[in-house]
Amino acid sequence: MAPAKKSIMVIKRMAQEEKRADSPPILALRGVTRSYSESMAVDRLSLEVAQGETLVILGPSGCGKTTVLRLIAGLEHPDEGTIDISGRRVAGGREWVPPEKRGVGLVFQDYALFPHLSLSQNIAFGLKGMKPAQRRQRVWEILFLVGLEGLGERHPHQLSGGQQQRVALGRALAPQPQVLLLDEPFSNLDTDLRLQVREEVRRILRTTGTTAIFVTHDQEEAFSLADRLAVLNEGRMEQLEKPDMVYNFPTTRFVADFVGHADFVTGEVTNGSVRTGLGAFPYQTDLPVGTPVEVMVRPDNLLLSPDPEGNTTVVERRFLGPFNQYVLRLSSGDFIHANAPSAVVYAEGIRLRAELRVACLTVFLDATASEVA
Amino acid sequence: MAPVGRAAGAARPPAVVWLSAALVAAAMVLPMVYLVVRALGAGAEVWELLFRGRTLAILARSVVLAAVVTGASTVIAVVLAWLTVRTDLPLRRWWAVLTILPLVIPSYVGAFLIIVGLGPRGMLQQFLEGPLGIERLPEIYGFPGAMLILTLLSYPYVLLTVRAALWRLDPALEEASLSLGHGAWDTFRRVTLPLLRPAIAAGALLVALYTLSDFGAVSLLRYETFTWAIYLQYEAALDRTAASALSLVLVALALSIVFLEATSRGRARYHRSTVGAVRRPATVRLGKWRWPALAFCGGIALFALAIPMAILVYWVVRGIAAGEALGQVWGVALNSAYVSGLAALACVAAALPVAYLSVRHPGRISNLLERISYMGFALPGIVIALALVFFGANFVTPIYQTVALLIFAYMVLFLPTALGAARASLLQVSPRVEEAARSLGRTPLQTMAAITLPLVRQGVLSGAALVFLVTMKELPATLLLSPIGFKTLATTTWAASSEAFFAKAAAPALLIIAVSSLAVAIMSWQERRGGSGSG
Amino acid sequence: MRKTYTNLVALIVALSVLLTACAGATPTPATTPTPMIKEVIKEVPAAPKPQSLTIYSGRSETLVDPIIQQFGQATGIEVAVKYAKTAQLAATLQEEGEKSPADIFFAQDPGGLGAVEDMLVRLPDGMLDQVSGWAHSPDGRWVGISGRARVVVYNTERLTESDLPDSIFAFTDPQWKGRIGWPPTNASFQTMVTAMRVIWGEDKTRQWLLGIQANDPKIYPKNTPTVAAAGAGEIDVGFVNHYYLYRFLQEHGESFAARNYHLPSGGPGALVMVAGAGILSTSGSKEAAQRFLKFMLSPVAQQYFTGQTFEYPLVEGVKTNRLLTPLNEITRPQIDLGGLKDIRSTQALFRETGILP
């Protein structure tokens, strides 16, 4: 065990040495556009990723998130815009660096392990210019890192899905890529395994200090992995921030709706406040009085209490294990969802008081524009 | 998620690949250039000949024959493939080899043997005449005979592609159908068969084109096809202009068949993901159906292989008894194996870049490229041979009538047989695997060498074996383009049989079958490895 | 490991790009059989330097190889032969044009020679005069080497000679319905029909073709299966060349149930044709080529053809095989073979009558 620990430390130190405090972004996309004959896959996308950071790109299927990864990896050419890795232009204008020269690691959704090579050979595949002894050492370290020591001579078809996943990760990490790209890496695993492997991957990425970009459509996965979260919709960047900011302060209606559950309660601007079916809330805005607006309400931001004079009526109760989710009708006619501990049960038809408990109100102008206080 | 085909098309193919593919295509276009050059010299009477009602009628006869032979071959081949891959048929490995072997019998030999065996006053009739007093058998000349012999000699093309497809079929799909309440037959019809469609179409294409281009069987069995009409222009009328004009019509027909096949490929995604261990489907127990199944395999093997071989053996034995010397055939067999081996290599080398382009970079140009490669196979051998005589003698005089040009001719003739196998195995390789190699620091060419080639090796090897088989029996190009004095088993068989020296013809004909059996054995061994291994 | 694969790719690419890579490979030459005739020609002195000769032979190897070998041994000239069908070789010569490596074209029939006549040189009169005037081309570009007669082959179990008519025209009679076999695509057959056109004229020839057609003839691709069919009783009569029968007799013995019938009326049905040869004008070894033709017209070779291939000798003083009906007992039509060049009109007639597409 001792030598293994030491080598992981070495990996970590090596990664940290490369990292400088005032380092420029390790990856920068500016105005990247990629369209196919009938549709726009990526539309004027810009983003930067710092050394050691984990960025998660979240979006519904077809939003172009896989295309972003393929553009970064060099498997596709952008139509417009530039991509820089470690300050070097790899795509854009007349510049083009082929995938094999980018120092970008890739983990595929279906792992894409080489079926004719053993695990060791798979992992050693990206190790070039090393002495055989060095290479063997490195392969051993990686096998240890991903918890598959002793299985190096097996072939991919002899492994379970979770093991294949870890080999794919190890293979991509072995050459110490500047950026690791992971395309829905856990989607082929069942729920239990997914959680376990996710934690494992997070540990490995932290240990090695690897800069990583995940692509996923799974919110929980996105929250738990991301240093920063990018939400993509129809090829456009909707929001790029820390996960909690994205959840609590979505900048667009799409983000609000896609990330977590959200209801929108209709309201109206009054002097210094917004009046809704849930009550009036203080709100400073330049909008003229009387402007119709919608206030975002998340089910877990509501505090319910029984009150015959309350502002809502219980329409339906759904038991969800740790809590009950209620569908409530406001006197204004809006329906909202609210979560309450599962020990407390309210029957259908009962009137309740629902209080919105938020630090800051998220208000959207009608259906399209948005405004945050 | 980007669609697979187009995403792969985004990266440009390596220059070496498209350059070699373009060169191969150029080689394939040569015969057509020749035909156009020749046909341009045609006078009014040739055009008159071309646009007669009768020309259309003969064309229709060819189409009908090709359609019926293709249909019959498909039925036989799908049943045989299913029996030998998926059931507990006794001795199924033997049947697998035996039922592929008819492919190696040259059609001029096969047709002749069928006439000797089944013709009026043939061996069967004489055999039946004694005890049963049967004096007339059903007519075998004309359509029935031509259809019978061409089906028996060409169904293995479909058998090969369907067997390979059955080996790699994901059993989960059939299981899903069974779980949805469809019985075994319903599942076969609604799930298995549609999944096999691309494989069936690929094999059927070869059968159809082979039938179109065959001369040996149709001339012996007296069924006038378009190819027969082309030969007639060369051999009886000595009119290469008219022959060329007619050949161009055949090219047009063949092209439309090739494009028809292309539509059956659809937009299906073939490569299955590598997640989880590869499973073999359960073996179907035949139970009492074992006996009809055995009878079916036995019947096919009897008519397509045993009877022809028995007649050949009978002649050889009679020849030896009459003091015929067989000594020379061994050196000739070596010649045959030598050029056939080189042809197999050349075809595989030429097929890989074309297949790679059409699978990984599908597009108008790469598709056209692939389809053009079928023209050599669809044209009568004599047309290809004379086209290369023209180009060889006049433009590359130093290699004219050398083995080099002969191999080149084989490549033009038989590329499609290797192309199908190369395409099928490339489709099995997920493009993600290649991209993984790129992201791990390999150039496109290095990726091909380290990942793609090893993964397609088995499929490509069976393609090579197939080329070997068909080259063994090739005649017109071998006669005209081989070095002077160079003899193969096919030319020796022809030389003897054309002068009715059957005993002398039988030994080399048997050797063609014997040497080819080795290739078939390699092929089915590879197939089994490919089917049950790590693919 | 990786390097090997890279090399493999390089190799395959090189192969696909340059198929000439195997140009250097040498074929294994097939050993040649010992000649059947042991006599050695002494008259020709050994040439000062080894000469070589390339022959395109439309005549089958089984038939002519022994005599060609004998020529090589007698003269020291290295002979290389390409064997294929006459028509295919004629087309090959046309495609090769001036680049043809051939010195001699040895053809099965005058039609093949006629197709490439403009590529042949005029032969010396002394050589042409060795054969009768009808047996060489009128302008002397090819010379007949051996003769072959058109016959009616008949099944001996169903017919005797006395059942057979005098003229081939009589087979249009309805009594022959369903009993005739013919190979309409065969070159010799077509030459006979050309002779019909010359002797009978277009109308009578058309009448004959339609008459036979009305009798539902069985169609065969060439002579051999026609003769086989006559022997097997599949047909009663067939229109073929005379010598195929003797090969069947040789292989199956006297019990083979077919014999030849020479039509006594002297019409086109009794035409005698030749297999002949000419020298290519592009030949670089014209002298050796002439020696070859001279040898083929020598008594030794002529004897070989009649003795071994059952053909007729064309040179005076050579004895015809005793199995054959001697030429002077056949009433052949008086016609020059050189005049039978118009294959195209014959083809047109075939098409017109619907016999060929």
Side-chain angles (χ1 to χ4, degrees):
Chain A
M1 285 293 113
K5 264 183 191 155
K6 191 173 134 202
S7 51
I8 290 167
M9 294 308 290
V10 171
I11 295 167
K12 188 173 177 178
R13 207 160 49 237
M14 278 157 56
Q16 281 168 344
E17 275 164 9
E18 282 167 14
K19 183 176 174 180
R20 275 166 293 147
D22 59 341
S23 60
I26 191 117
L27 174 72
L29 275 67
R30 292 192 189 88
V32 171
T33 296
R34 169 82 175 125
S35 60
Y36 298 127
S37 46
E38 64 260 36
S39 65
M40 190 76 92
V42 176
D43 188 5
R44 283 161 291 166
L45 186 81
S46 297
L47 61 82
E48 294 188 347
V49 182
Q51 173 69 57
E53 186 183 21
T54 299
L55 178 79
V56 175
I57 301 178
L58 182 68
S61 46
C63 73
K65 50 193 194 297
T66 294
T67 307
V68 175
L69 285 200
R70 297 174 61 83
L71 285 163
I72 297 169
L75 299 172
E76 304 227 7
H77 289 250
D79 300 331
E80 279 168 47
T82 61
I83 302 173
D84 295 354
I85 296 174
S86 297
R88 180 167 72 132
R89 178 71 34 101
V90 296
R94 307 195 142 235
E95 299 296 323
W96 176 254
V97 176
E100 64 270 20
K101 301 231 166 71
R102 290 195 179 187
V104 171
L106 256 172
V107 177
F108 292 86
Q109 187 172 5
D110 56 9
Y111 316 141
L113 297 179
F114 305 131
H116 60 308
L117 302 180
S118 70
L119 298 202
S120 296
Q121 286 169 327
N122 262 285
I123 289 168
F125 195 84
L127 301 174
K128 295 204 289 190
M130 275 187 174
K131 291 199 185 91
Q134 243 179 324
R135 192 193 313 242
R136 267 200 304 279
Q137 171 70 13
R138 180 79 184 146
V139 168
W140 194 87
E141 285 167 17
I142 293 287
L143 280 173
F144 184 84
L145 182 71
V146 299
L148 293 172
E149 57 272 35
L151 302 185
E153 294 318 304
R154 297 235 179 134
H155 276 74
H157 68 278
Q158 297 169 303
L159 300 183
S160 71
Q163 288 171 322
Q164 290 187 9
Q165 210 288 330
R166 283 184 279 167
V167 177
L169 181 66
R171 182 180 71 179
L173 282 174
Q176 294 175 304
Q178 310 198 55
V179 183
L180 184 66
L181 309 174
L182 303 97
D183 186 4
E184 308 248 8
F186 311 117
S187 62
N188 276 321
L189 304 176
D190 51 43
T191 324
D192 275 358
L193 198 58
R194 188 183 302 192
L195 217 70
Q196 187 191 326
V197 173
R198 193 166 80 200
E199 287 315 304
E200 186 77 352
V201 167
R202 199 153 74 137
R203 174 188 67 79
I204 292 166
L205 292 180
R206 295 272 184 269
T207 314
T208 54
T210 306
T211 310
I213 301 182
F214 280 85
V215 150
T216 183
H217 63 273
D218 182 320
Q219 296 175 24
E220 192 196 331
E221 194 171 295
F223 290 143
S224 79
L225 286 166
D227 290 331
R228 279 192 306 152
L229 188 62
V231 182
L232 225 60
N233 181 32
E234 289 176 349
R236 266 191 293 275
M237 177 77 81
E238 297 271 341
Q239 193 167 0
L240 173 56
E241 268 179 299
K242 286 201 160 66
D244 54 341
M245 291 298 284
V246 173
Y247 184 78
N248 290 319
F249 306 107
T251 53
T252 68
R253 177 185 273 274
F254 172 81
V255 176
D257 211 15
F258 184 72
V259 180
H261 185 95
D263 293 308
F264 299 94
V265 179
T266 52
E268 191 182 278
V269 175
T270 59
N271 203 6
S273 71
V274 169
R275 200 168 58 220
T276 72
L278 276 172
F281 304 96
Y283 188 70
Q284 293 303 321
T285 176
D286 296 335
L287 291 170
V289 171
T291 310
V293 293
E294 290 186 335
V295 174
M296 180 186 85
V297 177
R298 295 219 185 266
D300 38 348
N301 289 345
L302 286 168
L303 188 66
L304 303 180
S305 51
D307 181 353
E309 303 295 307
N311 50 4
T312 67
T313 312
V314 175
V315 177
E316 193 188 334
R317 178 178 69 94
R318 297 172 190 156
F319 176 63
L320 294 177
F323 53 85
N324 284 315
Q325 185 169 72
Y326 291 96
V327 180
L328 307 171
R329 191 178 63 236
L330 299 182
S331 42
S332 60
D334 291 327
F335 287 89
I336 56 171
H337 296 74
N339 294 345
S342 50
V344 190
V345 176
Y346 302 113
E348 285 171 16
I350 279 183
R351 286 191 84 79
L352 298 175
R353 163 159 301 282
E355 288 172 71
L356 184 60
R357 295 286 178 88
V358 285
C360 227
L361 206 59
T362 307
V363 176
F364 294 98
L365 237 183
D366 214 2
T368 46
S370 75
E371 170 100 341
V372 183
Chain B
M1 291 287 284
V4 171
R6 217 174 27 213
R12 288 166 199 118
V16 184
V17 173
W18 66 255
L19 217 75
S20 10
L23 269 172
V24 171
M28 291 322 222
V29 170
L30 275 186
M32 281 182 275
V33 171
Y34 162 83
L35 288 178
V36 171
V37 168
R38 280 284 161 267
L40 281 180
E45 56 173 37
V46 169
W47 299 117
E48 215 169 276
L49 169 77
L50 211 57
F51 296 112
R52 284 176 316 149
R54 226 177 121 77
T55 304
L56 205 68
I58 303 166
L59 197 62
R61 290 168 73 87
S62 271
V63 171
V64 168
L65 182 68
V68 174
V69 167
T70 307
S73 298
T74 302
V75 172
I76 292 177
V78 169
V79 173
L80 281 178
W82 188 76
L83 284 176
T84 54
V85 173
R86 300 290 294 275
T87 71
D88 63 349
L89 182 77
L91 302 173
R92 63 181 186 152
R93 291 186 175 182
W94 282 99
W95 292 120
V97 174
L98 288 178
T99 50
I100 287 173
L101 268 180
L103 189 65
V104 310
I105 301 177
S107 75
Y108 52 93
V109 173
F112 188 78
L113 294 175
I114 280 286
I115 293 170
V116 169
L118 302 181
R121 316 269 321 217
M123 289 182 170
L124 180 68
Q125 196 266 337
Q126 283 174 17
F127 176 76
L128 294 175
E129 197 175 48
L132 301 171
I134 292 173
E135 285 189 3
R136 262 201 113 69
L137 287 173
E139 179 75 86
I140 61 155
Y141 289 107
F143 184 81
M147 181 247 161
L148 178 74
I149 191 70
L150 284 170
T151 302
L152 288 180
L153 298 184
S154 62
Y155 78 81
Y157 283 118
V158 187
L159 181 59
L160 282 169
T161 54
V162 173
R163 276 179 60 92
L166 268 178
W167 277 112
R168 59 183 182 238
L169 204 64
D170 190 346
L173 298 167
E174 290 180 356
E175 288 160 7
S177 162
L178 290 171
S179 74
L180 290 168
H182 294 291
W185 166 243
D186 237 21
T187 297
F188 180 77
R189 196 170 53 84
R190 299 177 56 160
V191 177
T192 317
L193 215 50
L195 286 169
L196 291 178
R197 202 176 66 163
I200 292 174
L205 175 65
L206 292 181
V207 173
L209 297 184
Y210 176 81
T211 307
L212 276 190
S213 70
D214 175 75
F215 172 68
V218 295
S219 68
L220 281 169
L221 288 159
R222 307 182 212 149
Y223 182 74
E224 296 160 12
T225 62
F226 209 74
T227 291
W228 186 78
I230 293 171
Y231 265 84
L232 194 65
Q233 288 304 325
Y234 279 122
E235 311 226 316
L238 295 160
D239 187 346
R240 53 191 174 143
T241 309
S244 304
L246 288 175
S247 300
L248 281 175
V249 177
L250 198 62
V251 169
L253 176 61
L255 268 179
S256 35
I257 294 178
V258 171
F259 276 89
L260 195 71
E261 188 265 349
T263 59
S264 79
R265 286 182 196 163
R267 312 192 67 180
R269 212 182 118 162
Y270 296 88
H271 45 262
R272 85 178 186 195
S273 91
T274 51
V275 179
V278 178
R279 262 178 331 127
R280 285 272 296 118
T283 301
V284 175
R285 295 194 180 285
L286 285 174
K288 63 175 189 290
W289 287 98
R290 192 162 70 226
W291 302 112
L294 270 177
F296 180 74
C297 293
I300 296 287
L302 180 75
F303 278 104
L305 193 65
I307 291 182
M309 280 188 71
I311 298 173
L312 289 175
V313 170
Y314 169 70
W315 277 341
V316 171
V317 170
R318 205 178 58 178
I320 290 172
E324 197 80 54
L326 303 175
Q328 292 174 51
V329 293
W330 300 110
V332 175
L334 217 69
N335 276 353
S336 272
Y338 168 67
V339 289
S340 302
L342 282 179
L345 254 176
C347 281
V348 163
L352 276 174
V354 177
Y356 187 86
L357 275 192
S358 91
V359 170
R360 285 287 182 263
H361 305 275
R364 214 170 278 166
I365 293 175
S366 59
N367 286 350
L368 189 69
L369 241 160
E370 188 220 336
R371 277 152 215 182
I372 283 175
S373 352
Y374 279 88
M375 287 309 101
F377 194 73
L379 281 169
I382 181 73
V383 174
I384 305 292
L386 284 174
L388 293 179
V389 164
F390 172 68
F391 286 110
N394 291 296
F395 301 105
V396 284
T397 319
I399 65 160
Y400 181 58
Q401 292 189 356
T402 63
V403 169
L405 192 66
L406 182 62
I407 301 299
F408 183 81
Y410 290 148
M411 187 201 84
V412 174
L413 280 165
F414 300 133
L415 181 61
T417 54
L419 197 57
R423 258 188 67 89
S425 29
L426 267 175
L427 281 167
Q428 292 283 300
V429 180
S430 161
R432 301 286 157 269
V433 175
E434 287 168 1
E435 287 169 7
R438 294 294 304 280
S439 76
L440 291 166
R442 296 298 161 85
T443 64
L445 278 184
Q446 287 169 339
T447 302
M448 257 185 237
I451 302 298
T452 319
L453 279 185
L455 286 177
V456 301
R457 198 188 55 211
Q458 289 171 359
V460 164
L461 206 71
S462 71
L466 192 54
V467 175
F468 184 90
L469 296 189
V470 291
T471 310
M472 284 292 289
K473 60 178 182 177
E474 204 286 333
L475 191 57
T478 313
L479 279 177
L480 295 189
L481 290 166
S482 62
I484 288 185
F486 185 84
K487 293 180 204 167
T488 66
L489 290 172
T491 65
T492 311
T493 306
W494 169 78
S497 68
S498 70
E499 297 298 334
F501 296 114
F502 301 128
K504 241 185 191 148
L510 267 181
L511 263 182
I512 292 182
I513 299 175
V515 176
S516 306
S517 311
L518 291 177
V520 172
I522 290 174
M523 206 153 62
S524 62
W525 176 67
Q526 284 293 335
E527 183 188 53
R528 215 170 303 134
R529 270 188 36 174
S532 53
S534 56
Chain C
M1 186 69 170
R2 207 164 290 139
K3 211 159 215 150
T4 351
Y5 278 132
T6 320
N7 289 343
L8 189 69
V9 172
L11 175 74
I12 287 171
V13 166
L15 263 173
S16 71
V17 172
L18 275 174
L19 283 159
T20 45
C22 41
T26 45
T28 320
T31 47
T32 49
T34 45
M36 289 161 129
I37 295 170
K38 298 283 181 203
E39 304 164 52
V40 177
I41 313 298
K42 302 235 166 58
E43 52 162 357
V44 193
K49 54 178 181 180
Q51 287 176 290
S52 71
L53 198 61
T54 301
I55 299 172
Y56 280 10
S57 172
R59 305 216 54 194
S60 163
E61 180 173 6
T62 350
L63 299 182
V64 301
D65 184 64
I67 193 71
I68 292 177
Q69 292 300 325
Q70 199 179 348
F71 166 77
Q73 285 182 358
T75 59
I77 294 172
E78 218 175 277
V79 190
V81 194
K82 175 167 275 301
Y83 292 101
K85 292 186 188 173
T86 294
Q88 295 184 355
L89 286 174
T92 300
L93 284 169
Q94 287 176 327
E95 296 303 352
E96 288 171 343
E98 292 182 353
K99 295 288 178 63
S100 179
D103 300 306
I104 284 181
F105 182 28
F106 193 0
Q108 180 92 272
D109 50 73
L113 289 162
V116 294
E117 211 164 26
D118 52 350
M119 297 177 71
L120 304 174
V121 293
R122 202 193 136 75
L123 300 172
D125 288 340
M127 187 182 290
L128 296 170
D129 290 344
Q130 278 188 274
V131 303
S132 314
W134 59 268
H136 63 74
S137 95
D139 53 355
R141 290 176 191 261
W142 53 261
V143 62
I145 303 284
S146 56
R148 46 241 337 249
R150 292 297 299 177
V151 294
V152 174
V153 65
Y154 65 97
N155 179 277
T156 50
E157 289 167 358
R158 305 254 175 86
L159 296 169
T160 62
E161 279 207 13
S162 58
D163 301 323
L164 294 165
D166 282 358
S167 162
I168 197 165
F169 196 86
F171 286 103
T172 55
D173 190 290
Q175 65 155 307
W176 294 102
K177 198 170 175 75
R179 301 165 67 188
I180 303 172
W182 67 0
T185 57
N186 173 265
S188 298
F189 178 85
Q190 300 212 346
T191 306
M192 177 180 76
V193 176
T194 309
M196 286 178 177
R197 285 180 36 246
V198 172
I199 298 166
W200 289 347
E202 299 283 329
D203 284 344
K204 192 174 175 189
T205 308
R206 184 180 299 114
Q207 226 178 318
W208 183 78
L209 287 171
L210 290 172
I212 299 290
Q213 186 77 330
N215 276 341
D216 239 349
K218 292 220 164 87
I219 298 162
Y220 295 92
K222 48 190 183 179
N223 284 313
T224 313
T226 317
V227 176
E234 201 177 313
I235 50 172
D236 288 358
V237 291
F239 307 139
V240 294
N241 288 354
H242 77 278
Y243 44 89
Y244 294 96
L245 173 71
Y246 301 98
R247 301 194 195 138
F248 278 94
L249 290 174
Q250 207 170 32
E251 184 149 331
H252 299 260
E254 288 293 311
S255 66
F256 185 74
R259 289 296 181 273
N260 281 343
Y261 174 65
H262 294 270
L263 293 153
S265 71
L271 181 72
V272 177
M273 300 168 307
V274 297
I279 298 172
L280 274 297
S281 59
T282 48
S283 163
S285 322
K286 292 204 181 69
E287 192 236 356
Q290 283 197 18
R291 286 174 71 184
F292 177 79
L293 292 191
K294 258 185 213 154
F295 179 79
M296 287 296 142
L297 293 169
S298 71
V300 174
Q302 291 288 304
Q303 196 66 58
Y304 168 84
F305 283 117
T306 186
Q308 302 297 319
T309 73
F310 308 103
E311 290 171 281
Y312 289 104
L314 293 178
V315 175
E316 283 296 313
V318 179
K319 252 188 99 184
T320 302
N321 190 324
R322 60 181 175 78
L323 293 172
L324 309 182
T325 311
L327 262 192
N328 53 24
E329 288 173 29
I330 299 171
T331 359
R332 57 171 203 89
Q334 296 306 307
I335 183 174
D336 277 358
L337 294 178
L340 303 180
K341 269 198 305 191
D342 189 9
I343 307 172
R344 235 168 240 201
S345 305
T346 306
Q347 289 286 319
L349 200 56
F350 276 128
R351 282 199 289 271
E352 187 196 316
T353 49
I355 289 166
L356 293 181

